[in-house]
Amino acid sequence: MMVNRLWARYLGRGLVEPVDDWDDSPKARDAALLDALSRELMAHGYDLKHVARLILNSRAYQAKAEVGGWPARRRMSAEQVLDS
């Protein structure tokens, strides 16, 4: 679940949607990726910084998000509004 939350935080949408929907069998958009990141999290002693680094250095995160020639915009989260 933590890997899914990190993915959603950085990419705007989780591998399992809604992010906290872990009923009987979650249907991930990319189950292999979710499993690989989960194994990385466990192998590195549940170090969230390590997994965040993997996500932030991935091609998925590095890709440009443009809609019609304009960068895609997202609303700020409550924490971002509070911090600003």
Side-chain angles (χ1 to χ4, degrees), residues 8-84:
R9 174 112 174 131
Y10 293 122
L11 282 106
R13 184 174 178 203
L15 294 167
V16 175
E17 280 293 326
V19 175
D20 292 326
D21 186 18
W22 293 94
D23 292 336
D24 297 329
S25 61
K27 297 195 173 48
R29 289 185 296 145
D30 190 346
L33 175 62
L34 184 61
D35 288 341
L37 288 174
S38 298
R39 282 193 303 273
E40 279 290 320
L41 181 65
M42 289 185 285
H44 286 87
Y46 297 93
D47 183 10
L48 295 179
K49 286 183 182 181
H50 173 73
V51 176
R53 208 173 292 120
L54 288 174
I55 293 171
L56 295 174
N57 287 322
S58 71
R59 261 192 220 157
Y61 184 80
Q62 301 286 327
K64 273 189 180 179
E66 291 185 2
V67 179
W70 289 90
R73 294 188 180 141
R74 286 188 272 168
R75 286 188 178 174
M76 292 193 314
S77 67
E79 292 85 10
Q80 290 170 325
V81 171
L82 184 62
D83 289 343
S84 67

